Amino acid sequence: MPSSDIGSLVETTQSDQKETQSPFDRVYRGILRAIYEDTIIPGQRLAAPDLMRQFDAGRGTIREVLHRLASSGVVTIIPNRGAQVRLLTRQEVGALLDIVELLLGLAARGAADTVRDGKAGDILRIHHDRLQPPTSFDEFTRFVQAREDYYRCIVRLSGNAELQRLFPAAQVHIMRVQLRRFQNAADSTALTDYAALTDAILSGDPARAEQAGRDHVGYTRARIAALPDRAFARRGV
C-alpha cells in the first residue's frame, strides 16, 4: 500500500475499516490518518506498546506496519530507540520537492489535455473556488482540506493512475507540519499561486500547464530556502 493512500483516508469511514480491513491495514491506515489529522506529529516517538493498545493489535503486526512505514519514508527506525515519525533535513526537503515538482508538472500537463472536455474544466473550477484565504485556525483547517481536494482533482484529471500511486502525499504532509511553526512556509495560502496553475490548466495548453505546475512548487521551494537551519532535522540524527 503506497504512502499516497493518505489522501484517501478521509474518505474511508471507521465502520468500513472495522468490517473490511485486516489488522495490518487497520493499523497502517490508522497511523497515516493520525499523521494527516496532526494527532501524531513529525519527530514523535511511536512506542509499540502504545500502538498495540490503541489499535488492539499484536506486536508482530505493529512491527510489520512500522517497517512498511519506514520503507515508505514516513517513519524512521532508530536502533535501540524504536520508531518515530520522520523529521526531514534541509536536503531531504529539497529532494522531496524535486519529486513533487516533476509529478505535479506531469499531472497539470495531463489535466490540460482533459479539460478540453468542458465538464472536466468545470470540476477544476469548483475545486479552485473552494480555496479561500484562512484568517483563523478553523478556516486554515478547511483550507488544508480544500487544497488537498484541489490537488487530487488535478491528479485525477491527468488520467494517469501511476501519478496517483507515486505521489508522496504522506511525506509532503510531514514536511508541511514540520515547517508550520516557521510561518507556514510549506503551506501556501496565496490564492494567486493557485490561480496561475488553474488558468494554465484551463488554457488547454499542456506545455504551459506543466510549467505552471513546476512553478507552483517553485514558490514553495523559494520560501523554504529562506528558512533557518533550526527548521530542519540535523543530518545523521
Side-chain angles (χ1 to χ4, degrees):
M1 185 182 301
S3 62
S4 57
D5 282 348
I6 193 170
S8 66
L9 294 181
V10 294
E11 301 168 2
T12 303
T13 65
Q14 294 293 339
S15 60
D16 286 341
Q17 290 179 356
K18 290 178 181 177
E19 291 175 3
T20 65
Q21 292 185 351
S22 67
F24 176 92
D25 285 341
R26 180 161 45 82
V27 177
Y28 184 92
R29 284 178 167 264
I31 292 175
L32 286 178
R33 179 184 289 276
I35 292 172
Y36 185 84
E37 295 175 347
D38 297 345
T39 55
I40 294 178
I41 61 174
Q44 181 172 331
R45 183 169 178 265
L46 300 176
D50 294 341
L51 296 174
M52 291 167 64
R53 286 192 295 272
Q54 180 179 352
F55 295 105
D56 189 24
R59 184 175 295 275
T61 297
I62 299 299
R63 184 184 304 112
E64 185 181 359
V65 167
L66 292 177
H67 279 283
R68 176 68 66 85
L69 290 169
S71 69
S72 300
V74 176
V75 161
T76 299
I77 297 179
I78 304 172
N80 302 318
R81 291 175 58 187
Q84 69 176 44
V85 180
R86 189 176 174 196
L87 272 173
L88 301 174
T89 66
R90 186 185 291 275
Q91 292 74 20
E92 288 168 338
V93 168
L96 177 60
L97 290 175
D98 287 343
I99 299 300
V100 174
E101 179 179 319
L102 288 170
L103 295 181
L104 185 59
L106 289 173
R109 184 182 188 92
D113 272 330
T114 303
V115 297
R116 291 169 181 168
D117 168 5
K119 292 181 180 179
D122 290 342
I123 292 171
L124 180 60
R125 288 187 187 93
I126 289 170
H127 283 288
H128 178 266
D129 290 344
R130 289 174 180 165
L131 294 167
Q132 298 296 324
T135 59
S136 67
F137 176 79
D138 287 343
E139 288 182 1
F140 180 76
T141 300
R142 287 192 290 272
F143 173 83
V144 167
Q145 183 58 60
R147 180 188 61 200
E148 299 313 308
D149 291 343
Y150 172 77
Y151 287 138
R152 284 201 295 271
C153 175
I154 293 174
V155 174
R156 283 197 301 269
L157 289 177
S158 76
N160 189 330
E162 288 303 299
L163 284 177
Q164 298 181 49
R165 184 179 69 83
L166 292 172
F167 203 87
Q171 293 93 321
V172 170
H173 183 74
I174 288 170
M175 173 189 69
R176 286 178 176 149
V177 173
Q178 178 178 328
L179 300 179
R180 275 182 187 156
R181 63 192 181 97
F182 294 91
Q183 300 179 327
N184 290 335
D187 283 291
S188 172
T189 58
L191 296 190
T192 53
D193 289 1
Y194 300 93
L197 178 56
T198 298
D199 289 346
I201 294 172
L202 291 176
S203 75
D205 182 338
R208 177 186 168 192
E210 180 173 0
Q211 187 60 54
R214 299 186 68 155
D215 289 345
H216 185 78
V217 178
Y219 303 143
T220 296
R221 188 192 299 275
R223 289 190 299 271
I224 291 174
L227 294 180
D229 288 341
R230 69 178 185 278
F232 307 93
R234 288 178 293 165
R235 298 187 72 172
V237 175

